[in-house]
Amino acid sequence: MKHTLSILMQNEAGALVRVAGLFAARGYNIDTLTVGPTHDPAVSRLVLSLQCDEAGLGRIVQQTRKLVDVLQVAHPSTALAA
C-alpha cells in the first residue's frame, strides 16, 4: 500500500541524509520526496511517499521520530480518517 508522510525537521546540513538513510537502512524505497521551507527558517517540511504495509509503516514512523533533527512526523491520510 502507498503511504505519504509529512515530516517537520530542523533545517540543518545533513538532516535530509539522516532521514533518507534511515529508510534505506530499513529496506524502504522512497517513491517521491519533496522538501520545502516553512514560515520558520529553522524548520523544513519533508513530504515523502513509500510503499509498505501497515506494520512496516508503524515501525518506520516510530524510528523516524527518534532522529535528532526530526520535530514531528505525520501520516496525513490517517489524520483525515480520524
Side-chain angles (χ1 to χ4, degrees), residues 6-32:
S6 176
I7 302 170
L8 287 177
M9 61 185 190
Q10 294 176 359
N11 190 11
E12 295 185 6
L16 177 59
V17 172
R18 285 187 280 282
V19 172
L22 173 76
F23 282 77
R26 304 304 187 272
Y28 293 101
N29 187 38
I30 297 173
D31 294 330
T32 63

Side-chain angles (χ1 to χ4, degrees), residues 18-82:
R18 285 187 280 282
V19 172
L22 173 76
F23 282 77
R26 304 304 187 272
Y28 293 101
N29 187 38
I30 297 173
D31 294 330
T32 63
L33 177 71
T34 305
V35 181
T38 63
H39 65 281
D40 182 356
V43 178
S44 292
R45 179 176 306 277
L46 184 148
V47 179
L48 60 86
S49 65
L50 69 150
Q51 298 275 342
C52 68
D53 58 8
E54 292 294 326
L57 178 67
R59 284 191 303 270
I60 197 72
V61 166
Q62 288 176 346
Q63 292 167 349
T64 303
R65 286 182 176 141
K66 292 179 185 178
L67 292 173
V68 173
D69 296 323
V70 172
L71 305 172
Q72 180 182 2
V73 179
H75 186 228
S77 63
T78 58
L80 294 175

